[in-house]
Amino acid sequence: MSLAPDLTEILARARSDLRMGVPVVLTGPEGALLVLAAETLEARRLADIKALGGPPVVVISARRAETLKARPYDGDLARIILPTDADLQWVLGVADPADDLRTPMKGPLVSERGGSADLHRLALKLAKSARLLPAVLVLPLKNAPAFSQERRLTVVDGAAAAPLLELASPLNPVVSARLPLEVSEAGKLHIFRPEDGGEEHYAIEIGQPPRDAPVLARLHSACFTGDLMGSLKCDCGPQLRGALAQMGEEGAGVLLYLNQEGRGIGLANKMRAYSLQDQGFDTVEANHRLGFEDDERDFRIGADILKRMGFSSVRLLTNNPAKIAMMQQNGIEVAERVPLKVGETAHNRAYLATKAKKSGHLL
């Protein structure tokens, strides 16, 4: 029946549940798991999990496990057995590196090994896609259908959902309208909405760039602190304004404003990374301590928008080779890389050096 939610809509519901601290159920051939996000876990629900019996585990990424000196027997993740006396602060201490320097010894941490970790892996990806810390508390369920129905919990078919979490959600145009800008009165704003319930993305079109020639384009990831607040910790704001100014000077261009804050980890986690940077870690090390990879963004979104707008070739304003590779892998020819070297300050010099050394940016 079309009134029932499809799998994409069920996943959107599951993300919302996790963000509010509500458990979800993942099912698969190997059984079922009750899943709660560690970040939004409450003491009462932790007590309820313990009262159910069984072996709860805290699932963390291999990056976070490396920081905690825990054994990631499953390769990309570790299943940390929850001690019987563990309280909420213990779980949060495993998930969040905020107090790592104050209390570096979290253990001994005992990792579970053996058996399938497919549903545990899916649970981590679901938490990440909800812009939460990549850490979840899980408990195996024996009678998942009755358990979830009695408690009105969202149930996700793991085997069917896993491929969806690897794909970029299709984007649909919502509306476009003329938008005169400081750099050009011939501006137009296009709004694109993903089908998975995620944040909308924007395309700012300058002039009337021809569709049969390489368009001057930039893929700009949202940066609340740099774009809006004038933060000196990054070069995002100057890059945004510099790219628009260059398009205005040339009379044509497209700037894609992608809502992938903090290299795809969200503003809250970005602020967590900033706190770690204040403790002496560089931007890549901070992401790893949080449990994330260097860069969690998905530039397939930009390629999709360009194609939806009728473009197949770009002169890409970027210092990031990963953007070039992703464009070309997804059917957008990069006819030229146009450097965008602006915004270096005393506050972000080390940050830019790390981007060049560890992330390959051409600075």
Side-chain angles (χ1 to χ4, degrees):
M1 186 175 181
S2 62
L3 295 179
D6 63 19
L7 184 55
T8 296
E9 293 160 342
I10 289 171
L11 281 171
R13 184 179 291 177
R15 292 187 189 96
S16 179
D17 287 348
L18 291 177
R19 288 181 62 85
M20 292 188 295
V22 178
V24 301
V25 175
L26 304 183
T27 65
E30 64 273 30
L33 292 180
L34 183 66
V35 179
L36 295 101
E39 179 178 341
T40 54
L41 181 65
E42 297 178 356
R44 63 187 176 94
R45 285 198 164 117
L46 176 58
D48 290 342
I49 289 288
K50 289 184 173 183
L52 289 173
V57 298
V58 177
V59 186
I60 56 176
S61 71
R63 290 294 192 188
R64 181 67 180 142
E66 181 181 4
T67 294
L68 297 176
K69 303 297 186 288
R71 294 186 181 276
Y73 291 121
D74 301 302
D76 57 342
L77 60 86
R79 293 172 283 165
I80 308 299
I81 297 173
L82 186 76
T84 55
D85 61 346
D87 58 9
L88 180 60
Q89 288 308 120
W90 186 93
V91 176
L92 295 177
V94 169
D96 189 340
D99 70 341
D100 277 2
L101 292 188
R102 185 171 64 252
T103 56
M105 300 303 294
K106 307 290 185 184
L109 301 178
V110 180
S111 297
E112 188 174 69
R113 63 193 307 176
S116 173
D118 289 345
L119 288 180
H120 302 77
R121 187 168 291 110
L122 180 66
L124 268 190
K125 289 180 180 177
L126 193 58
K128 268 190 180 184
S129 69
R131 297 290 188 265
L132 296 169
L133 284 169
V136 291
L137 178 67
V138 307
L139 178 73
L141 291 177
K142 292 181 179 179
N143 190 1
F147 183 93
S148 55
Q149 185 173 7
E150 180 183 343
R151 293 161 180 81
R152 293 176 293 176
L153 300 179
T154 301
V155 180
V156 178
D157 180 336
L164 276 184
L165 288 176
E166 297 295 336
L167 298 174
S169 177
L171 291 162
N172 296 309
V174 178
V175 67
S176 61
R178 189 176 69 88
L179 181 67
L181 302 171
E182 288 183 356
V183 299
S184 172
E185 293 186 6
K188 192 174 186 179
L189 179 62
H190 305 259
I191 309 295
F192 291 85
R193 181 176 295 157
E195 293 181 0
D196 66 358
E199 292 180 282
E200 294 165 350
H201 305 285
Y202 319 127
I204 298 91
E205 185 175 7
I206 302 296
Q208 295 180 325
R211 269 50 177 175
D212 59 354
V215 61
L216 182 64
R218 171 158 175 80
L219 277 66
H220 187 88
S221 297
C223 178
F224 170 77
T225 51
D227 298 342
L228 274 69
M229 306 305 295
S231 168
L232 301 177
K233 284 182 69 70
C234 65
D235 56 344
C236 302
Q239 285 190 327
L240 172 65
R241 289 179 282 278
L244 285 173
Q246 189 164 339
M247 292 174 190
E249 290 172 5
E250 295 196 12
V254 175
L255 185 139
L256 306 183
Y257 196 87
L258 310 179
N259 276 307
Q260 301 190 109
E261 179 81 46
R263 295 206 199 107
I265 65 177
L267 183 58
N269 287 319
K270 173 179 162 180
M271 290 300 98
R272 290 185 173 107
Y274 275 14
S275 293
L276 293 172
Q277 290 171 36
D278 288 341
Q279 296 176 22
F281 301 102
D282 67 34
T283 182
V284 171
E285 292 167 342
N287 268 29
H288 290 177
R289 293 188 77 88
L290 287 166
F292 295 104
E293 295 303 317
D294 303 18
D295 195 334
E296 298 276 353
R297 289 175 293 181
D298 187 351
F299 295 120
R300 294 175 297 180
I301 298 169
D304 189 12
I305 291 176
L306 286 167
K307 285 186 279 191
R308 294 299 298 263
M309 295 180 69
F311 297 105
S312 60
S313 180
V314 295
R315 296 166 52 223
L316 195 61
L317 274 160
T318 187
N319 304 320
N320 185 356
K323 290 183 181 180
I324 299 172
M326 188 62 76
M327 287 297 97
Q328 295 180 153
Q329 290 169 17
N330 287 275
I332 299 293
E333 177 196 3
V334 180
E336 177 189 359
R337 182 186 79 85
V338 182
L340 188 59
K341 299 181 180 179
V342 294
E344 181 175 334
T345 71
H347 294 274
N348 66 26
R349 194 162 292 128
Y351 163 77
L352 296 177
T354 299
K355 287 210 298 186
K357 181 180 179 180
K358 294 188 176 182
S359 301
H361 287 224
L362 305 172
L363 300 175

